[in-house]
Amino acid sequence: MKRNVGGLDRGLRIVVGLVLIALAATGTVGWWGWIGVVPLLTGLVGGCPAYSLLGVNTCPMRKGE
């Protein structure tokens, strides 16, 4: 998968994902908190399938591209 998630976007996805997973693991929120796995994985990988479908790219261009 091509990278389409930039630095700030990746950081926010990782933080939100970890917070949701922690809340679900402690029972603070219901089972839906485990959806935090999705933003965590897309943040770690740097690619988002939804962004690809919508043509969104928050990743900065590299030299020579």
Side-chain angles (χ1 to χ4, degrees):
M1 177 181 293
K2 190 174 181 182
R3 284 192 165 192
N4 59 5
V5 179
L8 179 61
D9 195 1
R10 287 181 76 180
L12 288 174
R13 286 171 183 258
I14 291 169
V15 169
V16 168
L18 289 173
V19 168
L20 283 172
I21 292 169
L23 290 173
T26 60
T28 306
V29 297
W31 60 268
W32 62 268
W34 291 103
I35 197 75
V37 170
V38 174
L40 177 62
L41 289 177
T42 58
L44 292 173
V45 172
C48 177
Y51 274 14
S52 294
L53 290 173
L54 298 171
V56 177
N57 187 350
T58 61
C59 193
M61 297 283 289
R62 295 186 189 140
K63 287 184 178 181
E65 289 186 342

